[in-house]
Structures are given as C-alpha cells and as structure tokens.
Amino acid sequence: MGKMREFFIVLVGSLVAFFAFAVEKPEPFGLKLGTTTKSTALSIITSEGGRVVSQGYKKIKGDIINPNVEGIEVEGLPVDNLLTATFWFYKDKLFLIEYTFPLSMSKEEFNVVYNQLKAKYGAPKKFVKPWLADGVAEWRFQDVVIRLLAPWVSRSMYLIYEHIPLSKEVEKSDQEVFQKETAKPRRGL
C-alpha cells in the first residue's frame, strides 16, 4: 500500500509540474487558428490598427485559383519592424498567419525575433542557425506550429503560425480544384 501511495504522490506531482510549465497555444492578437472566422479576424485586425491592402483567393498554378481559400494582406499592425501580415482562411476559418519582416545580410533580425519567441514559448523543437543556411526555428503546440524562417539569400524573413489540420484540408482542396480545372476540355486555339 505504501508503494501505491508513493506512486500516486509522484504522479500527481508530475502532472502539477507539467501543467505549471505547459505553454498555451499561440493566439496572435487573440486570434485562434482553426476557429476564428474571417469577420471576427477582420474586426480584431482593424481594432489593432491594421488596414487591408489586398485580398483574394489562393492561386494554385497558372490561372487556377482555389475559391475555398482566401488571403488578406494587412499593413499597420503593432508588431516591431513588420512589413506585412497575410491572414489565410479556409472556408471562413483562419488557418495560417504569415508575418513578413525585413532581413539584413547579418540575419540579426532573425536572432531578435527568435529570442522573443524563445522567451515566450521556450526552446524550439527545431533550430538551424542562419549562417550559410536557411535559418529555421520551429515550435509545436498540439495542432498549431510556429515557424521562423530566414532564407539564406533573401531580404525578407517570415514568421508563420499554422493550424496543421486545416492546412492538410487546404492541400486536399487544392488538389481537388486543380484536378477538376485541368480535367475540363480546353477551347480556343
């Protein structure tokens, strides 16, 4: 009986420690990937000072678009050095946010954003230093992934928040739309 009690105390202690240090899923500006609707997102974005500069459906290839996937490019959000933010919706649900930042040859901007994310979310699951290679840092939270990308030869850096289940549905939708559009007989020439 004593061993069972010790095991139970250790188990409860472990669970308390786990939940005390558990990190919540990221919700930039309170936006919940996988559930926030386009109208709610636009309301929050404009209340934060953002303004829509362009929007449209996702281009799959050539002139083929996916009408189930809509992107909205925004400027003016209160994020240090942010050039633009693009919010992607699949059937009216937010599934991806992509922030674009300027990037110098020294890649110092990567380190600044990386350190901010590391302080908030802990050590990443994946890390590649941006030195003679693409800089990558990746954090995983149940069904959401954060990726910080600094391409080796680029003047832009990207911070991406992605809802994995909806992203997989987008991939399937893209394939279905592409197959449907390319199966149509071509007219003209």
Side-chain angles (χ1 to χ4, degrees):
M1 194 62 142
K3 295 276 187 195
M4 184 65 131
R5 185 170 182 234
E6 286 178 39
F7 173 77
F8 183 74
I9 291 171
V10 169
L11 178 65
V12 170
S14 298
L15 289 174
V16 168
F18 172 79
F19 287 111
F21 294 106
V23 178
E24 291 184 33
K25 281 199 292 190
E27 295 178 3
F29 297 106
L31 300 170
K32 296 180 182 183
L33 285 104
T35 59
T36 299
T37 63
K38 181 179 153 190
S39 61
T40 301
L42 284 172
S43 175
I44 292 170
I45 289 165
T46 55
S47 73
E48 291 289 342
R51 65 187 179 289
V52 174
V53 293
S54 69
Q55 61 185 19
Y57 296 116
K58 182 181 180 193
K59 188 180 208 180
I60 299 172
K61 184 177 181 182
D63 62 350
I64 300 173
I65 60 163
N66 186 341
N68 297 316
V69 183
E70 186 175 3
I72 299 173
E73 187 176 352
V74 174
E75 291 180 348
L77 287 171
V79 176
D80 292 341
N81 300 314
L82 181 68
L83 296 174
T84 62
T86 305
F87 297 83
W88 288 96
F89 300 88
Y90 174 66
K91 295 184 177 177
D92 198 47
K93 299 285 187 222
L94 179 66
F95 78 93
L96 192 132
I97 302 170
E98 181 180 291
Y99 292 158
T100 303
F101 298 93
L103 185 65
S104 64
M105 293 300 289
S106 70
K107 310 289 190 226
E108 185 56 35
E109 299 85 353
F110 178 89
N111 296 326
V112 170
V113 175
Y114 169 75
N115 287 330
Q116 290 172 346
L117 292 168
K118 186 177 175 187
K120 186 169 184 175
Y121 299 115
K125 298 290 181 204
K126 178 180 180 181
F127 178 78
V128 177
K129 186 177 178 178
W131 182 254
L132 301 176
D134 293 346
V136 178
E138 186 174 285
W139 290 261
R140 294 186 175 272
F141 310 86
Q142 295 126 10
D143 57 358
V144 174
V145 172
I146 299 176
R147 284 185 199 88
L148 179 62
L149 305 171
W152 182 43
V153 183
S154 179
R155 301 199 90 145
S156 296
M157 174 178 69
Y158 309 95
L159 175 58
I160 300 165
Y161 296 83
E162 181 179 16
H163 186 266
I164 299 302
L166 279 183
S167 287
K168 288 179 180 178
E169 287 186 41
V170 167
E171 288 175 19
K172 278 180 27 183
S173 178
D174 285 350
Q175 290 172 352
E176 290 168 3
V177 169
F178 184 78
Q179 288 173 352
K180 180 180 173 187
E181 290 298 315
T182 55
K184 291 180 181 178
R186 298 291 175 202
R187 297 194 172 140
L189 301 176

